[in-house]
Amino acid sequence: MGRKLLIDYGNPDREALLEAARSIATGGIVVFPTETVYGIGANAYDDAACSRIFSIKGRPQDNPLIVHVSSMEMLGEVALIDRKWIQRLSRFWPGPLTVVARSTGKVSTVARTGLPTVAVRFPSSPVARALIELAGVPIAAPSANLSTRPSITDPVHALEEFSERVEYVIVSGKSPLGIESTVIDLTSPTIRLLRAGSTPVEEIEKVFGPVEVTDTARGVATEERPVSPGAKYLHYSPETPLYLVTEDQMMSLGQNPGFSDYVFICSAQVGEAITNRKIVLGSESDLSAVASRLFSALRDLDSMNARGGFIHLFPEHGIGLAVGNRIRKASRPPTGEILAALDRP
Ligand code: TXA
Ligand code: MG
């Protein structure tokens, strides 16, 4: 059903994009690249189109969508943001930062799930920006993945999952950053981190002052009521069970022939000690590389016919905070047979 458009990421052909932009303007759904992950987008002013996104993804009805704009004028149409914040935001925009602010009321209540607030971001991807400009409306777009599945950073996965479900899939190479935008809440007295992402909290604090980082944002399970609706759902899960272990545990299991039907997702350093099948994400000291490969590794795991997978945490500074959040949410603690193998000397 859907048409595939091949577009150059850095220098998009506007003529070719126009077809997809017209589709958005008339109620269509388009999967498109951003600098973080692929998004599945609709006209943010169109209730019916926005509700199609929820049904295509199987997304819970109380988890609002991010609205993408291509200019500060368009930002003014959708959100009411204090002048003092606007200046600071321009240090990060265009780029992978999303802010929750008061809605002007123009964005579809379906996209906002009835909230008085709206989450907005001004992406740096030239393709995304051109698409929004040509559509002439802001684009409401969550990550392009079926609900609970890992986000998509490789267009091959975007085509597999969405070709039959949407009007257009824009194919434009692998997502450069690979982890979603950082979401902050500007409506509370202290700025709160709602989701760790590609913009490091340390950078945000340099410009905005102290940011409150909750356990929810780290992906650590808590009883606390999540502040961002998306935080309470199971996320990013491969179909193959993925177990979170320490680096030492991984090195031990990775050499154990009893675990040759498992896949070990690891750093280059840990990988050196692993003789079983492995996917190396990158050096522990190159967290950007690790971030850019994580989601496609989770999807690759599912195509490897493995009994299970193992993953370990990485240093949690800079983009590493978001990497840790995604790894915790995608994985589970090791169980019986694995623990028994670790207990054996
Ligand atoms: O990088 C990204 O942000 C990608 C690309 C496509 O732009 N988009 C993305 O969207 O990750 P999604 O839907 O997967 O995540 C949106 C997050 C969810 O956790 C949602 O709960 C939160 O933003 N959110 C949206 N509107 C909100 C609001 N009004 N208040 C609090 N949280 C909100
Ligand atoms: Mg998502």
Side-chain angles (χ1 to χ4, degrees):
M1 157 200 176
R3 291 207 48 194
K4 169 177 157 185
L5 290 178
L6 293 170
I7 302 285
D8 185 69
Y9 186 89
N11 183 23
D13 175 349
R14 294 174 76 90
E15 200 62 38
L17 270 182
L18 196 56
E19 247 186 90
R22 287 209 182 101
S23 171
I24 293 262
T26 55
I29 308 290
V30 175
V31 168
F32 65 99
T34 81
E35 69 276 24
T36 56
V37 299
Y38 274 75
I40 173 171
N43 177 352
Y45 296 152
D46 183 336
D47 283 338
C50 289
S51 74
R52 270 186 71 203
I53 291 183
F54 283 85
S55 55
I56 292 171
K57 278 192 59 128
R59 186 176 177 96
Q61 298 290 336
D62 62 348
N63 191 7
L65 311 181
I66 291 177
V67 174
H68 298 66
V69 298
S70 58
S71 67
M72 294 312 257
E73 290 72 53
M74 204 181 251
L75 171 72
E77 275 184 42
V78 301
L80 299 163
I81 301 183
D82 211 272
R83 279 182 84 88
K84 70 168 192 241
W85 296 138
I86 299 273
Q87 264 180 355
R88 297 178 196 191
L89 280 171
S90 63
R91 304 273 293 274
F92 296 95
W93 279 355
L97 178 66
T98 296
V99 296
V100 172
R102 225 152 33 96
S103 165
T104 57
K106 272 194 86 173
V107 165
S108 149
T109 55
V110 174
R112 287 185 284 123
T113 65
L115 293 172
T117 54
V118 64
V120 200
R121 105 173 179 89
F122 183 169
S124 63
S125 151
V127 183
R129 289 169 64 176
L131 183 70
I132 303 163
E133 273 166 30
L134 291 167
V137 289
I139 296 183
S143 50
N145 52 278
L146 299 182
S147 204
T148 79
R149 299 274 298 133
S151 303
I152 288 179
T153 55
D154 184 327
V156 171
H157 298 144
L159 288 166
E160 271 169 21
E161 203 145 295
F162 290 103
S163 301
E164 299 303 315
R165 296 181 157 104
V166 302
E167 276 70 33
Y168 288 90
V169 176
I170 299 175
V171 169
S172 189
K174 292 191 181 168
S175 314
L177 299 175
I179 296 259
E180 300 89 339
S181 62
T182 303
V183 183
I184 57 171
D185 183 2
L186 293 181
T187 66
S188 55
T190 50
I191 294 178
R192 279 189 308 183
L193 179 72
L194 299 185
R195 179 179 72 184
S198 277
T199 299
V201 177
E202 294 90 331
E203 300 301 314
I204 299 173
E205 290 194 315
K206 279 186 207 154
V207 175
F208 284 89
V211 172
E212 191 193 328
V213 178
T214 60
D215 274 354
T216 314
R218 285 185 203 283
V220 177
T222 62
E223 295 298 308
E224 165 201 346
R225 195 176 164 278
V227 279
S228 189
K232 69 173 178 256
Y233 298 106
L234 180 68
H235 254 96
Y236 316 117
S237 318
E239 274 151 16
T240 312
L242 178 65
Y243 301 100
L244 181 61
V245 291
T246 66
E247 295 187 11
D248 286 344
Q249 289 173 330
M250 189 178 279
M251 288 191 267
S252 145
L253 295 166
Q255 298 170 359
N256 184 336
F259 287 85
S260 60
D261 48 358
Y262 286 77
V263 170
F264 294 77
I265 304 178
C266 58
S267 67
Q269 288 82 353
V270 171
E272 280 178 27
I274 291 184
T275 47
N276 288 329
R277 276 192 297 175
K278 63 192 169 202
I279 301 176
V280 173
L281 295 175
S283 166
E284 258 175 28
S285 60
D286 188 0
L287 294 172
S288 302
V290 172
S292 72
R293 295 193 190 118
L294 178 63
F295 282 131
S296 58
L298 297 182
R299 283 181 177 259
D300 289 343
L301 171 65
D302 280 338
S303 61
M304 292 172 82
N305 270 318
R307 176 136 179 237
F310 291 101
I311 195 162
H312 62 76
L313 291 170
F314 285 76
E316 291 189 63
H317 55 76
I319 197 174
L321 184 69
V323 170
N325 165 292
R326 304 305 187 273
I327 289 177
R328 284 198 183 87
K329 293 180 113 184
S331 63
R332 57 185 87 179
T335 47
E337 177 187 37
I338 301 163
L339 291 174
L342 287 168
D343 270 351
R344 259 175 258 134

